[in-house]
Amino acid sequence: MTVCENLSAYLTKEGFQPEATDFGLHFKVQGLDFVHFKDDNDALFLNLFFPQIFPVTAENKADVLVALDAANNTVKLAKGAVRFGNAVWVGVEMLLNEGYDLDALVKRSLDTMVHYRQEFYQAYSQTPTGQAEVQAAQAAQQPQA
């Protein structure tokens, strides 16, 4: 079986109900979306992505890149990047050995990507654009006089 087929079987066994797509798999864990891109040319390559964790615009792109750099330097295993020009994605990619165990690999990868998202948000909140967005959100939550 391919990595994609093994991953689908593992996710099904764990109750995550993966959906087969043209590109690989889509699945939810604790209400969060994740994807796997199949690679028919590499039998022992696993990738998992946490897509679109943050929108990227012309106005925030410089600060997004600063936050990505900070999170990428802080978090092991997972790395973030701007994909498709409009969103931050977090990913884990690895080469597997024969007889690999998806249980440990998938759980740690998913946990690490969720942790990465928090590190990215924290780093972004320290940028000028992020600080302005946090202040605007806090002001919007204040009761109007």
Side-chain angles (χ1 to χ4, degrees):
M1 287 201 321
T2 67
V3 169
C4 190
E5 291 167 334
N6 285 337
L7 179 60
S8 181
Y10 167 78
L11 292 169
T12 299
K13 178 184 72 121
E14 294 296 312
F16 296 128
Q17 301 175 348
E19 173 189 341
T21 66
D22 290 339
F23 60 80
L25 298 173
H26 170 259
F27 59 100
K28 288 184 179 280
V29 177
Q30 298 178 354
L32 302 172
D33 289 305
F34 295 92
V35 295
H36 161 72
F37 293 105
K38 64 183 171 185
D39 185 343
D40 295 330
N41 297 318
D42 198 340
L44 292 174
F45 179 73
L46 173 65
N47 63 55
L48 295 168
F49 292 95
F50 190 178
Q52 303 175 347
I53 68 163
F54 195 81
V56 178
T57 65
E59 295 77 27
N60 73 6
K61 187 171 186 176
D63 285 342
V64 164
L65 295 175
V66 168
L68 281 169
D69 187 49
N72 285 342
N73 283 319
T74 302
V75 179
K76 295 178 186 177
L77 186 62
K79 299 300 173 206
V82 176
R83 294 199 51 148
F84 308 108
N86 67 358
V88 173
W89 287 48
V90 181
V92 171
E93 298 178 303
M94 66 187 81
L95 296 174
L96 303 171
N97 292 323
E98 294 288 336
Y100 56 86
D101 175 17
L102 286 176
D103 189 46
L105 295 173
V106 171
K107 287 178 182 176
R108 181 155 189 201
S109 295
L110 297 176
D111 288 347
T112 303
M113 287 188 287
V114 170
H115 171 70
Y116 182 99
R117 181 183 65 169
Q118 290 309 116
E119 291 291 326
F120 170 80
Y121 289 168
Q122 177 62 31
Y124 183 74
S125 75
Q126 302 303 309
T127 67
T129 307
Q131 288 174 352
E133 289 175 10
V134 168
Q135 289 172 351
Q138 289 171 338
Q141 291 178 352
Q142 297 298 319
Q144 302 298 318

